[in-house]
Amino acid sequence: QKYGAAGVIVYLGIGMVDLGLTFAGIQVLGQDKVKLLEDKVMNTVNEWRGLPPRPERDSSQEKEGASLASVFVLAYGIHKTLFLPFRVTVTAAITPAFVRKIHALGW
């Protein structure tokens, strides 16, 4: 195709920015909600496995946030599902200008 590799590069670049912003947004704005969700999921898994549930958090543990893995999994899920139309649209809009620019630079 006309834009093949350049389109993939633009798409991956937009995807990296998108995932990074989603991760940062969740880390800053939704850390407490992710921790509650993480606790619910872990208690459900422990219940299925026949283990006791996690103990309730007290005020000294309240400052402790969600794990980076939980935040990343949530950010990746949002990135792959909700922001897909945004990434495809922006890629289609930017790719022709990007190709013109790299051709002008001699690529």
Side-chain angles (χ1 to χ4, degrees):
Q1 283 214 14
K2 188 176 179 181
Y3 299 124
V8 172
I9 291 169
V10 170
Y11 180 79
L12 291 176
I14 292 169
M16 285 189 285
V17 170
D18 172 19
L19 180 59
L21 290 176
T22 305
F23 181 82
I26 292 172
Q27 190 78 358
V28 171
L29 301 175
Q31 184 81 300
D32 53 340
K33 292 175 183 63
V34 174
K35 184 61 179 169
L36 290 174
L37 180 64
E38 183 181 281
D39 288 342
K40 285 182 184 179
V41 168
M42 289 305 296
N43 284 337
T44 303
V45 169
N46 285 344
E47 184 179 303
W48 289 344
R49 294 173 60 200
L51 299 173
R54 281 180 157 183
E56 292 293 321
R57 297 183 301 158
D58 59 7
S59 60
S60 66
Q61 295 173 325
E62 204 62 38
K63 299 275 190 253
E64 183 180 313
S67 69
L68 285 178
S70 296
V71 174
F72 181 78
V73 166
L74 185 60
Y76 187 74
I78 291 170
H79 157 79
K80 288 304 264 184
T81 56
L82 297 178
F83 292 152
L84 177 64
F86 166 77
R87 285 195 318 271
V88 170
T89 304
V90 172
T91 300
I94 290 176
T95 300
F98 177 73
V99 169
R100 281 192 302 273
K101 183 69 173 175
I102 63 173
H103 280 256
L105 292 174
W107 281 65

